[in-house]
């Protein structure tokens, strides 16, 4: 996906499953926009060497799309349909006659020089200054298959993780934010929508690479292979991570192969090997089938996903996970059913599991209407359910509810959700500030309201509220997000989350603050600043990143990071200050 606006701002990304955009993908291309008397014009140039394709195929899937924010209008070249998402490209047009293309040698070399400074303010105080080279080499083995080598990989441009405070029994999921792993990330996606909708049971989660027991370690070198060989999709990754005081260097690897069948569907296999800690021997193998058909039911779309995977661990033994999902994402009726089982000892060292030994049932049914000549664009009503049992089919979690909501012609949204929950807590767990949730059975009914304004306005935002019963007490939760774009240069957003929890065993109040500032000097130069704080850890985080891409693929990057504690809300104690300056240049052959 390549996008450009009237000011020349650019966006590129990868589309997967006709639904999800991986915005972290980045390639070399050119675009400029200009405002004229009767509107605006844009020119886009995408080098053939920047994308992967089969030179023997002169017919490409192709589409053009325009979004007019002031009118909340979308215009599409090929088969626009209100029932289909803008990201659905199953019925795109065809661009014909592509031949005699040139990709040169297909070699891109991107060397960097990195100057880093780090100060630890707490005893024993320590300063560290390093000057190191790093780099990436990209080689198109074929026009559709790219090999990548990296060494001394620099992750100083990764943004701060969105801050979370755990109020449940199971571990939190933090998405990958590092460019090297997000590039071509779609080739490693496994299980289709089944594991995208619920991440528990993923065989591969790249965030495990470069972390040992929560502490970062350097990536010494890595290699990646991604692309197509005919109708065969290929993804392979091998990384050498630095050792720690208690462990040696680790070689970690993942491989994924997919084969296109039935035009829109694919079958695939996946393997991972290695343990970032070096404490166990760990391998995972799996297979999946992702079926898509947009012609079977008189033009409506039907989707089905199946997966099976097995982990082999020297510490936990062998166990498996498997699941299926069926969905009918159409209008006026849509529905989805999902099943998944995660074994008690399913333990992918390079994957993600936060709730083993369960069977998971999830689904919904939705009706959507589109009234004519109304200020309402669409409204919908639906019901949903979620059941989780142990492997002996004893109920552990039940959630079911119903919602009603809609969108205005200006793309404002509002929803109300009423739901009933049941939890069978086998062992007590603690909330922040050691507030105890005792073992036992709990059932409650609550409501959730969400409102969101159109992002086409200079000031936009969203507000959520949840109330009231929860684990034998009450929870009142709000989340507010506001964005202000005073002009084409500034983008300012702030977020606040508030939890007020009252239980028989104690009370806890949680507050999370986040501020994001973006200053766009030009489409090729920007300054991004993030500030975060929560009152539970009392930790403060700041990240400020300046990037100037003085030519496509070549850049000057400066990052400043600060972490510390805001004790009792008014006394600041610095922990770590970091600064990084990186200069890189792209050479294409």
């Amino acid at each position: 996906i390549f996008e450009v606006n009237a000011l020349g701002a650019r966006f590129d990304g990868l589309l997967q499953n006709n639904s999800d955009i991986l915005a972290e993908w980045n390639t070399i291309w050119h675009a400029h926009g200009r405002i004229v008397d009767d509107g605006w014009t844009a020119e886009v140039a995408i080098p053939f060497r920047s994308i992967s394709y089969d030179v023997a195929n002169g017919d490409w899937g192709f589409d053009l799309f325009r979004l007019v924010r002031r009118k909340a209008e979308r215009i599409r070249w090929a088969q626009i349909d209100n029932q289909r998402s803008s990201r659905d490209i199953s019925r795109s047009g065809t661009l014909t006659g592509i031949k005699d293309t040139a990709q040169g040698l297909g070699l891109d070399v991107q060397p960097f020089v990195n100057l880093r400074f780090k100060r630890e303010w707490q005893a024993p105080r320590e300063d560290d200054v390093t000057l190191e080279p790093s780099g990436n080499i990209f080689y198109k083995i074929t026009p559709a298959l790219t090999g990548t080598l990296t060494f001394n990989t620099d992750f100083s441009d990764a943004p701060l993780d969105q801050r979370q405070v755990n109020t449940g029994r199971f571990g939190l999921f933090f998405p990958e934010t590092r460019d090297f792993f997000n590039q071509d990330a779609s080739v490693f996606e496994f299980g289709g929508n089944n594991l995208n909708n619920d991440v528990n049971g993923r065989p591969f989660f790249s965030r495990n690479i470069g972390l040992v027991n929560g502490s970062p370690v350097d990536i010494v070198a890595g290699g990646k292979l991604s692309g197509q060989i005919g109708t065969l999709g290929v993804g392979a990754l091998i990384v050498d991570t630095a050792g720690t005081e208690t462990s040696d260097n680790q070689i970690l690897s993942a491989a994924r192969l997919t084969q296109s069948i039935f035009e829109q569907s694919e079958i695939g296999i996946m393997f991972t090997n290695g343990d970032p800690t070096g404490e166990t021997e760990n391998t995972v193998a799996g297979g999946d089938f992702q079926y898509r058909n947009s012609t079977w039911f008189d033009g409506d779309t039907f989707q089905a996903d199946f997966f099976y995977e097995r982990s082999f661990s020297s510490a936990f033994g062998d166990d498996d996970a498997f699941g299926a999902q069926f969905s009918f994402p159409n209008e006026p009726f849509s529905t989805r059913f999902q099943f998944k089982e995660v074994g008690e000892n399913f333990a992918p060292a390079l994957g993600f599991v936060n709730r083993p030994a369960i069977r998971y049932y999830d689904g919904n049914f939705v009706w959507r209407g589109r009234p004519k000549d109304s200020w309402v664009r669409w409204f919908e009503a639906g019901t949903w359910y979620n059941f989780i049992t142990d492997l002996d089919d004893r109920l552990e979690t039940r959630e079911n509810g119903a919602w009603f909501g809609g969108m205005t012609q200006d793309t404002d949204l509002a929803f109300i959700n009423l739901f009933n929950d049941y939890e069978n807590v086998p062992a007590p767990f603690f909330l922040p500030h050691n507030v105890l949730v005792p073992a036992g059975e709990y059932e409650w009914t609550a409501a959730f309201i969400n409102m969101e304004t159109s992002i086409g306005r200079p000031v936009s935002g969203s507000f959520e509220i949840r109330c009231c019963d929860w684990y034998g007490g009450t929870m009142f939760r709000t989340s507010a997000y506001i964005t202000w774009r005073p002009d084409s240069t500034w983008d300012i957003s702030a977020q606040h989350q508030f939890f007020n929890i009252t239980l028989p065993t104690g009370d806890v109040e949680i507050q999370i603050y986040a501020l994001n500032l973006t200053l766009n000097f030009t489409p090729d130069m920007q300054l991004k600043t993030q500030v975060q704080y929560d009152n539970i850890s009392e930790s403060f985080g700041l990240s400020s990143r300046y990037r100037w891409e003085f030519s496509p693929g070549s850049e000057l990057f400066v990052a400043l990071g600060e972490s510390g504690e805001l004790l009792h809300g008014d006394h600041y104690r610095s922990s770590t200050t970091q600064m990084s300056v990186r200069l890189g240049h792209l050479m294409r052959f």
Side-chain angles (χ1 to χ4, degrees):
I1 292 176
F2 300 89
E3 294 184 3
V4 61
N5 72 358
L7 299 172
R10 300 182 302 277
F11 168 84
D12 52 16
L14 290 178
L15 180 65
Q16 66 179 25
N17 295 324
N18 270 337
S19 60
D20 303 319
I21 290 181
L22 300 178
E24 295 82 6
W25 181 78
N26 187 36
T27 194
I28 305 302
W29 60 295
H30 310 262
H32 295 282
R34 182 162 61 95
I35 298 175
V36 295
D37 291 340
D38 60 346
W40 64 281
T41 66
E43 292 185 359
V44 176
I46 304 170
F48 286 104
R49 67 177 62 185
S50 292
I51 53 179
S52 297
Y53 60 95
D54 181 0
V55 292
N57 187 353
D59 295 345
W60 290 12
F62 183 77
D63 215 339
L64 293 168
F65 182 86
R66 184 182 176 196
L67 186 62
V68 186
R69 287 290 185 194
R70 70 180 185 278
K71 297 190 292 183
E73 176 180 292
R74 55 181 181 154
I75 305 163
R76 190 166 181 169
W77 175 58
Q79 298 197 35
I80 195 166
D81 186 340
N82 278 338
Q83 298 189 44
R84 300 184 185 278
S85 164
S86 302
R87 301 173 180 180
D88 187 335
I89 57 170
S90 61
R91 298 186 179 186
S92 294
T94 303
L95 188 64
T96 63
I98 300 174
K99 59 183 180 178
D100 301 326
T101 61
Q103 288 198 325
L105 295 177
L107 178 65
D108 290 353
V109 180
Q110 194 176 32
F112 297 97
V113 176
N114 306 282
L115 176 63
R116 301 188 185 97
F117 166 78
K118 181 177 180 180
R119 163 166 286 187
E120 298 288 352
W121 293 92
Q122 305 303 316
R125 295 182 58 165
E126 182 179 349
D127 291 346
D128 185 26
V129 180
T130 59
L131 179 65
E132 292 183 336
S134 66
N136 302 312
I137 299 174
F138 308 91
Y139 178 63
K140 285 193 176 296
I141 302 168
T142 72
L145 185 66
T146 302
T148 304
L149 294 176
T150 185
F151 65 94
N152 284 345
T153 315
D154 179 49
F155 297 128
S156 58
D157 54 356
L160 296 177
D161 290 317
Q162 183 172 343
R163 190 156 300 203
Q164 303 179 60
V165 174
N166 197 343
T167 58
R169 293 186 284 150
F170 309 104
L172 299 175
F173 179 82
F174 290 87
E176 178 64 83
T177 59
R178 298 169 295 179
D179 284 346
F180 175 76
F181 293 107
N182 279 320
Q183 287 287 337
D184 301 317
S186 62
V187 301
F188 296 99
E189 291 294 329
F190 177 85
N193 288 325
N194 198 308
L195 289 176
N196 282 327
N197 292 335
D198 180 76
V199 297
N200 182 32
R202 280 193 175 190
F204 179 59
F205 179 41
S206 61
R207 194 178 177 102
N208 289 323
I209 300 176
L211 285 175
V212 175
N213 296 323
S215 299
V217 295
D218 292 335
I219 292 182
V220 180
K224 184 162 55 173
L225 190 66
S226 59
Q228 297 282 135
I229 302 176
T231 57
L232 181 70
V234 178
L237 173 72
I238 184 167
V239 171
D240 177 17
T241 61
T244 67
E245 294 180 355
T246 58
S247 64
D248 298 327
N249 284 38
Q250 298 299 317
I251 303 297
L252 310 172
S253 58
R256 169 84 161 138
L257 296 175
T258 58
Q259 175 64 54
S260 297
I261 56 176
F262 308 142
E263 293 185 359
Q264 301 177 34
S265 306
E266 67 179 28
I267 190 169
I269 57 176
M270 182 145 198
F271 300 92
T272 70
N273 186 71
D275 181 348
T277 67
E279 297 174 356
T280 69
E281 295 181 3
N282 189 278
T283 300
V284 174
D288 66 338
F289 175 43
Q290 300 175 33
Y291 180 75
R292 306 287 183 268
N293 192 311
S294 57
T295 60
W296 191 6
F297 294 100
D298 193 26
D300 287 336
T301 297
F302 173 75
Q303 302 177 351
D305 297 297
F306 307 88
F307 78 91
Y308 172 83
E309 51 187 328
R310 189 168 183 85
S311 66
F312 306 87
S313 170
S314 61
F316 300 98
D318 306 340
D319 211 339
D320 50 22
F322 53 90
Q325 177 176 267
F326 305 92
S327 60
F328 189 71
N330 302 286
E331 291 186 17
F333 299 105
S334 67
T335 187
R336 173 176 58 82
F337 168 76
Q338 178 178 348
F339 166 78
K340 176 165 56 181
E341 177 174 315
V342 181
E344 181 177 4
N345 296 312
F346 180 69
L350 289 179
F352 182 83
V353 173
N354 64 348
R355 191 171 183 177
I358 57 103
R359 292 190 176 113
Y360 175 93
Y361 307 83
D362 177 79
N364 64 33
F365 182 82
V366 186
W367 177 83
R368 175 177 289 187
R370 292 182 179 270
K372 294 183 178 180
D373 303 321
S374 171
W375 60 276
V376 177
R377 176 166 297 191
W378 54 259
F379 59 88
E380 67 181 28
T383 182
W384 59 275
Y385 63 87
N386 176 278
F387 298 93
I388 300 176
T389 73
D390 65 14
L391 297 180
D392 294 320
D393 294 320
R394 290 187 292 261
L395 184 64
E396 292 186 351
T397 298
R398 174 186 53 77
E399 299 178 302
N400 56 276
W403 79 86
F404 178 80
M407 175 188 284
T408 70
Q409 294 292 355
D410 294 325
T411 66
D412 300 311
L413 287 164
F415 284 90
I416 182 169
N417 194 330
L418 302 175
F419 56 93
N420 179 263
D421 282 6
Y422 166 84
E423 285 284 348
N424 184 357
V425 180
F429 69 96
F430 289 91
L431 301 176
H433 295 327
N434 292 319
V435 174
L436 176 68
V437 178
E441 295 185 60
Y442 299 88
E443 184 175 2
W444 65 85
T445 299
F448 178 84
I449 298 173
N450 169 263
M451 293 174 288
E452 183 177 327
T453 67
S454 169
I455 64 173
R457 299 188 178 96
V459 178
S460 61
S462 64
F463 179 74
E464 300 174 357
I465 183 170
R466 182 207 179 279
C467 186
C468 292
D469 294 341
W470 192 72
Y471 283 111
T474 61
M475 173 195 280
F476 180 77
R477 186 185 75 199
T478 64
S479 177
Y481 184 88
I482 186 169
T483 297
W484 178 38
R485 294 182 296 273
D487 53 37
S488 61
T489 302
W490 286 95
D491 189 304
I492 305 168
S493 63
Q495 184 177 18
H496 177 253
Q497 296 181 62
F498 172 78
F499 298 73
N500 188 291
I501 299 172
T502 301
L503 298 181
T505 56
D507 304 337
V508 61
E509 181 180 291
I510 302 171
Q511 306 235 26
I512 304 174
Y513 303 88
L515 177 67
N516 298 294
L517 305 174
T518 301
L519 175 58
N520 297 293
F521 300 100
T522 72
D524 302 306
M525 183 190 297
Q526 66 178 201
L527 175 66
K528 287 188 173 183
T529 300
Q530 294 176 276
V531 179
Q532 296 182 354
Y533 170 76
D534 73 87
N535 70 320
I536 300 302
S537 67
E538 295 189 318
S539 64
F540 169 88
L542 178 145
S543 172
S544 189
R545 306 180 305 279
Y546 167 83
R547 187 190 304 271
W548 174 33
E549 192 174 24
F550 48 86
S551 67
S554 300
E555 65 176 26
L556 171 64
F557 178 80
V558 181
L560 174 65
E562 168 74 11
S563 63
E565 295 176 297
L566 193 59
L567 303 176
H568 310 296
D570 57 6
H571 176 65
Y572 180 71
R573 182 173 64 188
S574 184
S575 176
T576 304
T577 301
Q578 300 182 76
M579 185 173 182
S580 174
V581 179
R582 185 179 71 201
L583 181 63
H585 180 63
L586 176 68
M587 297 175 287
R588 313 196 86 180
F589 303 95

